[in-house]
Amino acid sequence: MEMNLGSIAENLDEVRGRIGAGCTAAGRSPQHVTLLAVSKTFPADAVREALAAGQHAFGENYVQEALAKIEALADRRAEIEWHLIGPLQSNKTRAVAEAFDWVHTVDRLKIAERLSAQRPAALPPLNVCLQVNVSGEDSKSGASFDELPALARSVAALPGLRLRGLMSIPEPADDLAAQRIPHRRLKQALDGLREQGLALDTLSMGMSADLEAAVLEGATIVRVGSAIFGSRPRPA
Ligand SMILES: *Cc1c(COP(=O)(O)O)cnc(C)c1O
C-alpha cells in the first residue's frame, strides 16, 4: 500500500472514496459506515488538520498518550468523539471512563464493571464494544466466541455503559477473500447476539489494509490510521 502520498485532507478523501466504493460493491449506504481516524503516535496538530478536513471521530491506543492529546484538544472537545481502541488495564479504567466517548476493547466483565461504576453521572453512558478474538491465538486479547453470549448479557445490564456491538483485530491476510473470513464470523456473532434480544448496532472492523473486506461484510466502523496520517514512527 502506498503511504504518505498526500496531505491529511487528501488522504481522508481517498479513504472516504475507498469506503464509498466498498459500500457500492456491497449495496450499502456510506452513511452506515463511520470512519474512525486512528491518530495514535501522531500529535494533536495532526488531529486538528483532520478536524479541519471534516473528520470528527478519532481512535487512540495508549491511554497516557490519549489523555494528553484529549487535554491538548480540550478547546475542540465538543466536536470530537474519542474512541479507545487499545488494551485497557484495570488501573486505567477511571481515567478512561472520564475522558472517552467509546471503548472498543472490553473483553472481560471486571473491566466493564469498573468502567460502568466510574463513568461520571453527568456524562451519557460510555459506548462499548466487546473485543472478540477472531483469529484464535492465545497471545491476542479478546473474548472467545464461546464466552461472548454470557459476557454480552452481563455488560448490557451495566447502567454506566451502552453496549453497542463487537470489535476485532484479525491476523493480516493478503487477499480480499481471506480478509473477509474473520469479518464474516464477527458479523455472524453479532447477528447471534441480536437474535437473543440484545439491541446492538456496531461492528468495529477493518483497518487501512482491509477496510474494503470489512465494509463488504457489514462493518459500521472502520479504524484507519496509516492511510490517513502516514506510516507510524514506531510499531503499534
Ligand atoms: C493501529 C490500529 C488501527 C489502524 O491501523 P492502520 O493499519 O494504521 O490503519 C486500527 N485498529 C487498531 C486496534 C489499531 O491498533
Side-chain angles (χ1 to χ4, degrees), residues 38 40 61 85-86 167 169 206-209 223-227 232 236:
V38 178
K40 66 182 176 200
N61 279 58
I85 62 171
M167 176 271 204
I169 312 172
M207 321 203 314
S208 291
R223 310 178 307 263
V224 179
S226 45
R232 283 181 290 274

Side-chain angles (χ1 to χ4, degrees), residues 7-24:
S7 66
I8 288 172
E10 288 165 346
N11 294 343
L12 276 167
D13 270 349
E14 184 158 330
V15 169
R16 290 179 189 130
R18 288 174 61 193
I19 293 170
C23 285
T24 301

Side-chain angles (χ1 to χ4, degrees), residues 61-123:
N61 279 58
Y62 313 104
V63 174
Q64 287 315 122
E65 178 195 340
L67 295 174
K69 220 174 287 183
I70 292 169
E71 180 65 30
L73 288 154
D75 58 313
R76 310 297 296 272
R77 185 65 186 90
E79 297 159 76
I80 302 182
E81 215 175 56
W82 287 108
H83 295 236
L84 182 69
I85 62 171
L88 177 53
Q89 311 299 329
S90 321
N91 61 349
K92 303 266 173 64
T93 52
R94 182 176 298 280
V96 168
E98 290 173 355
F100 281 83
D101 302 297
W102 284 70
V103 175
H104 291 226
T105 46
V106 172
D107 62 359
R108 54 196 199 278
L109 186 57
K110 182 186 166 200
I111 294 286
E113 286 172 339
R114 290 177 66 93
L115 287 171
S116 175
Q118 294 166 344
R119 180 69 167 172
L123 296 178

